[in-house]
Amino acid sequence: MKSRLVLASLAVVALAGCSSSSSGGGGGPTTSPGLASDSTSPSASASTSPTASPLPSVTPTFPSTIKATKTCSTSDLSLSIGQGQGAAGTSYVPIIFTNTGSKPCTLYGFPGVSFLDSSGKQLGVPATHSGGAEGVVTLAPNGAANSQLGLPDPGNFPSGGCNSATAAKLQVYPPGDFGALTIADTSTVCTTDGGATSVTPVTPGSGG
């Protein structure tokens, strides 16, 4: 009887050991589901490109080592016309200002330009301002500056869109001056608003 009780006790102990072994097996810790979010890509706000700063505006100065204390007036200047060239239905001719004085002077901006007939009457409207950058141009004695005069081709206009006429003179007001310079010119020009000539600001040199 005692031997049976001993065998029964040993069997209970063996079963308890097997149960303990199976419940503790399997090893390492289980990964927490919450850790999966750590491997995701950064939020959209973190990857947004920075906003580009606007480019600063540039004001041309046409620097020169020559110092001048006065603006060029008609009494300081002579007027001439350079060699023209054509482009896309418009020919461009440099209007050249030359400093005939004994001291440096400056020009800035757009000249006033118009064509005159043989009686001195203005043909059409004055040249409109077109393109280019304004800057101070310093003219030494005998130095030159130029402005490009654009002349539309009358042949590119429909009937009545140009009303062309032949000029006798070109009249030019230097920038900032109320006195005009004139020079003989026999260009064929439009006299309608739609066929108006154009002019750029003065720049250094003769434009040739």
Side-chain angles (χ1 to χ4, degrees), residues 12-205:
V12 171
V13 172
L15 288 173
C18 290
S19 176
S20 174
S21 174
S22 63
S23 66
T30 304
T31 302
S32 170
L35 296 177
S37 62
D38 292 343
S39 62
T40 58
S41 59
S43 65
S45 60
S47 60
T48 302
S49 300
T51 303
S53 300
L55 294 174
S57 58
V58 178
T59 303
T61 58
F62 298 84
S64 173
T65 57
I66 303 167
K67 302 300 181 182
T69 58
K70 66 186 294 285
T71 300
C72 301
S73 64
T74 52
S75 61
D76 302 312
L77 301 169
S78 67
L79 179 68
S80 59
I81 299 174
Q83 183 66 41
Q85 57 182 342
T90 300
S91 58
Y92 291 90
V93 179
I95 301 169
I96 304 169
F97 301 98
T98 302
N99 182 5
T100 58
S102 59
K103 295 181 179 180
C105 61
T106 62
L107 292 173
Y108 176 87
F110 294 85
V113 181
S114 56
F115 285 93
L116 307 177
D117 64 15
S118 57
S119 64
K121 181 181 178 181
Q122 180 175 297
L123 296 173
V125 297
T128 60
H129 295 178
S130 175
E134 295 180 78
V136 175
V137 181
T138 303
L139 279 66
N142 297 316
N146 79 92
S147 179
Q148 296 291 320
L149 178 64
L151 301 169
D153 183 353
N156 289 341
F157 291 84
S159 178
C162 174
N163 293 338
S164 63
T166 301
K169 293 181 179 180
L170 179 67
Q171 176 177 264
V172 181
Y173 290 85
D177 199 321
F178 294 101
L181 299 167
T182 58
I183 188 172
D185 190 297
T186 56
S187 296
T188 299
V189 297
C190 294
T191 59
T192 59
D193 291 358
T197 57
S198 63
V199 68
T200 64
V202 290
T203 57

